[in-house]
Structures are given as C-alpha cells and as structure tokens.
Amino acid sequence: MAPLFPLTKRRGLRTLALLPLLAACGGGVESEPTPAPEPGTQESPVVLGANRYGVVTGGIYNSGAQPLSDTTSRNKFFCEPRQLNAKWIRMEAGWPGVSDTTYQQIIADAHANGIKVIVLYTNHPFCGDPNSGVARDTYINDYLNKVKSWTARVFNTTYNGWSTKADAIEVMNEPNLTAVCPDGSTRFVVEPNTFAWAVRRVKEWKLANGRTEHIISGAILNTYTNESFWPGLFNSGALINYKGNPPWDSFGIHPYNPWSYDWNCLNNGGGSACFGTYSSGYKYTLRTGLQTVASKLNTATGVTNTRLFVTEFGFQDRGWVDEPNNEVRNEAEVAEAMRISAESFGDSGVVDQALWYDYRNHTDGSGNFGLRNGWNGSTHYPSKWEPWHEFQKLARGLTARTGDNPDACWL
C-alpha cells in the first residue's frame, strides 16, 4: 500500500528540512556556518563507552532470505548481537505484513538474550491547522490510541516465559522532515508544537498507568538548530509550561550532519582528516551540535541534565561521495566514520546510547548503511568486515579489534 502522503525523502536518504540558508549554486541547502575554533581546543580521546550501543533492525521482520519471522533465522540473528555486545535493538510497530506473534517473538527472544528493545511508533503526517487546538488534539489522540492499542494487544504479555513489553517507546520519527499534504502544501511531517504535545501525552499516559517504558521523543534529523523546526519546539507550551518536567525521559536525535565533512577530501583519498578536528569540521559540528541541542532543551524545560538517545547514526559505502546522504567511499571509511562519531558522542557528554543504522543494506538498493551486505544467493548476508569489527570494538569497550569471525552465527 502506498503511503497516504509522500515524504520528501526515500528510505535511508538523509536530507535537511526547511533550512533558511541556500547554497550559492543550484539552490541546494547547507548547514549553518561552522563557528570559529575556540582557543586552545584540543583533540579529545573520550569515546562513548561499552554497553551503550545497539542496532536498528531496518524492517527485516518478514523480508529477505533470513527474516526475523523465521525461528531459525531469528535465533541466528540474536546470536550476533551477543557477539557484537549490542545492548539495544530498534524496531517499528505496524510494519506491513508483520504479525503480532512475530513482534512478540522478537521482543521475547531479545530479552532472553539480554537485549533491550525500542518500539518506534510512526504516524501519518499532520496536515491539519497547526493553530487549531481541536486539530492538534484529534491528531494526538489518534496517535495515543495507536500506542495504547499496540501495547495492550502485543507488547504487554509473555512469550516462552519472556516479557514482550517494550523497554522503550520512541514517539514518532524525524518529524522535521517534510511531506506534501492533500492541499498541495509542503509541511513538516509533524509541526513542532503538535509533536511536543504528542510526546507529553504519551509520557502522561505512561505515568498515569504505571508503565515502565522509557519514553524517547521521536528523533530529530541532524543537530543543526538553525532549522526552522527548532524554535517551535523550544517554545512549545509542552516544554516551557512544565518547568522541571520534560515530556520525555530521553530526547531522540539522528545526528547524521552530512554537510559538515569534506566530500572532495574523501574523494581524493584524504581519509580521517576529511572529518576535521574538535576545532572545526564534522567532529566539531557533531560534538557542539549535540551539546547545543541539550543546552537549549535544558533552558526550555528548566532542567540541567537533558540526555540524548541516538536512535540512529550511520554511514554508507558508496564508492564516491556526491550528495548529503552520509556517504563515504568504502567500508574502511565507514568504520573510521563510526569511530569518529563515537568519539564525538563521548566527548559531548550528553549522549547515553547510540544505535547504528542499520543491521543490513536495504534490499531495494536505496542505502548501504548496513553492517551486512546483500544476500549472497545461498547462505547468508555477508558482513562488512571493518565496520562490523569496529562496532564490536566500540560496543565491547576494546582498544583494538578482535579476530572474531563475523559470520560465525550464520554458517
């Protein structure tokens, strides 16, 4: 079934939404200017530590040659997160064709393997009048009823003796992307005030019913706070009227930030230098962007310790870098970009967990973000050796990569 409203991105494409700055040529978009380096800023050795990583499942529940709906494939899959030391997986409720039983099996098996699960609840774009309280409440109530229904029917029982309750709920996904509404207007998927109130209503439902799920606000794409989405969020009554009581337990973020590294440098073999330093470039932009987001949310909510949950980060190997889609040339550069991101997360001091996007390449060829490539035609989805081992090193808190066989669970 086609989506009700076409989004302005295909799956896996990481675009910037409604930025006020236009590029000098071609009308493209670019990030905010990189601030001048602070005097004396040095490279930092801090890395987001062990036991704080996970993987996004990427819709593999009933698709491909080894779907999670199949018991044998599911057992092999969960063997691998144990090998990697992944502590979280993220999956989406309402994926086409996935049965309630499959969802229950996935969460129960995750819990049996010591892995926590984020359940992401998406929703159709909000195309109502953003100034109408009735339109907002109707949209939010529809969304909240979806969460309640799925929780009562699917994520609130046991399977083979293990709980099928989600450990965390992510309230919508990348609301600052844009969608075309039936009236022909292009809007944010969910305008910021409606989004903020939706998150608050889910948290209020949690507290009123003694739920234990960790509430994560639907992750915002990129950390560029000069996007026009951010002021509406920072000034929402769902934040500023509840000082000391944020509408989330963690704030979700997808810090792809593709405008802040040097594509030409990568294409000419520049390597890690193309990502800059902690004084400029990607490293600076990512670290300070995360810190800025947390600081502005602290001000808006009246707290001092906003924590960020990176429910997606990732790079894809494309052979050549020519668009803002978190591209690098090869698998070695994917691993390097992963490490650099982990250093920036750790150095920011505001990130608690980070999930790699995603487990395997998209089957439609739209993205090469996976730790695994496409089906080899007979036995498995081959690993990307360097990204796989770099993830394992980070997730296990090692100083060097192991010699583990990344296909051991599958062969």
Side-chain angles (χ1 to χ4, degrees):
M1 178 180 292
L4 293 176
F5 308 105
L7 299 180
T8 57
K9 70 157 190 163
R10 59 179 168 81
R11 184 168 300 279
L13 181 62
R14 305 296 159 191
T15 58
L16 301 178
L18 298 181
L19 277 171
L21 299 178
L22 294 179
C25 299
V29 290
E30 62 184 16
S31 75
E32 59 194 273
T34 301
E38 299 176 6
T41 302
Q42 301 294 321
E43 294 281 340
S44 172
V46 179
V47 180
L48 188 68
N51 304 314
R52 298 170 77 175
Y53 293 87
V55 292
V56 177
T57 53
I60 64 174
Y61 323 117
N62 61 349
S63 65
Q66 293 170 331
L68 296 186
S69 56
D70 174 73
T71 300
T72 299
S73 296
R74 194 170 60 252
N75 290 339
K76 290 183 177 182
F77 168 80
F78 280 112
C79 167
E80 187 170 6
R82 290 200 312 270
Q83 188 183 12
L84 288 167
N85 198 43
K87 298 301 183 182
W88 289 87
I89 62 170
R90 175 180 180 247
M91 65 182 194
E92 183 175 337
W95 195 268
V98 182
S99 70
D100 291 357
T101 299
T102 294
Y103 279 117
Q104 291 167 344
Q105 290 170 329
I106 292 170
I107 293 189
D109 286 4
H111 289 160
N113 284 279
I115 298 166
K116 295 182 178 180
V117 180
I118 300 171
V119 173
L120 165 66
Y121 291 91
T122 59
N123 208 28
H124 60 82
F126 175 60
C127 288
D129 181 357
N131 298 312
S132 167
V134 173
R136 274 200 314 274
D137 287 345
T138 299
Y139 181 83
I140 292 170
N141 288 337
D142 176 65
Y143 180 82
L144 183 56
N145 286 336
K146 178 180 181 178
V147 174
K148 291 178 179 178
S149 173
W150 275 82
T151 298
R153 189 182 79 252
V154 181
F155 304 126
N156 205 28
T157 183
T158 59
Y159 189 91
N160 286 340
W162 293 94
S163 170
T164 68
K165 181 188 291 186
D167 300 281
I169 291 173
E170 187 169 0
V171 183
M172 303 189 193
N173 182 60
E174 298 182 351
N176 61 324
L177 285 172
T178 57
V180 179
C181 289
D183 63 2
S185 63
T186 299
R187 309 186 191 182
F188 288 119
V189 171
V190 186
E191 65 91 20
N193 187 44
T194 300
F195 167 69
W197 280 108
V199 181
R200 179 162 290 284
R201 294 299 178 233
V202 173
K203 187 175 180 184
E204 289 174 347
W205 162 80
K206 164 193 168 174
L207 296 175
N209 291 276
R211 306 295 305 181
T212 59
E213 293 94 338
H214 191 88
I215 304 303
I216 306 171
S217 68
I220 309 301
L221 180 62
N222 302 321
T223 64
Y224 304 125
T225 53
N226 65 345
E227 282 188 340
S228 57
F229 183 90
W230 289 97
L233 177 63
F234 295 141
N235 294 307
S236 172
L239 278 63
I240 63 177
N241 293 341
Y242 295 82
K243 293 295 186 180
N245 180 18
W248 48 71
D249 296 317
S250 295
F251 185 81
I253 195 78
H254 290 173
Y256 288 96
N257 295 22
W259 294 99
S260 55
Y261 62 95
D262 189 335
W263 306 346
N264 288 329
C265 174
L266 281 178
N267 288 333
N268 286 288
S272 61
C274 306
F275 291 90
T277 69
Y278 283 101
S279 297
S280 64
Y282 178 83
K283 291 182 181 180
Y284 178 91
T285 301
L286 180 54
R287 180 194 63 177
T288 58
L290 293 164
Q291 291 171 333
T292 298
V293 167
S295 176
K296 290 187 175 183
L297 290 171
N298 284 344
T299 299
T301 60
V303 302
T304 59
N305 62 341
T306 295
R307 306 303 300 172
L308 305 185
F309 202 124
V310 176
T311 58
E312 285 186 21
F313 81 106
F315 285 80
Q316 58 175 328
D317 52 302
R318 282 296 198 184
W320 187 262
V321 187
D322 59 4
E323 62 175 323
N325 197 8
N326 265 48
E327 295 180 353
V328 292
R329 296 178 308 158
N330 52 51
E331 294 178 13
E333 289 179 353
V334 171
E336 180 71 356
M338 181 192 298
R339 178 190 62 78
I340 290 168
S341 297
E343 290 179 354
S344 297
F345 297 157
D347 193 61
S348 75
V350 296
V351 173
D352 282 335
Q353 282 87 23
L355 276 61
W356 181 259
Y357 183 86
D358 54 358
Y359 178 66
R360 71 185 187 214
N361 286 353
H362 301 159
T363 56
D364 62 3
S366 63
N368 295 338
F369 291 92
L371 290 177
R372 292 194 168 274
N373 281 298
W375 178 245
N376 71 349
S378 58
T379 58
H380 67 300
Y381 293 86
S383 70
K384 299 179 183 178
W385 198 94
E386 293 197 58
W388 191 96
H389 279 88
E390 186 65 25
F391 181 96
Q392 184 194 50
K393 175 174 76 86
L394 294 167
R396 291 173 60 178
L398 303 175
T399 57
R401 297 176 188 168
T402 71
D404 292 355
N405 177 6
D407 296 326
C409 293
W410 294 98
L411 302 178

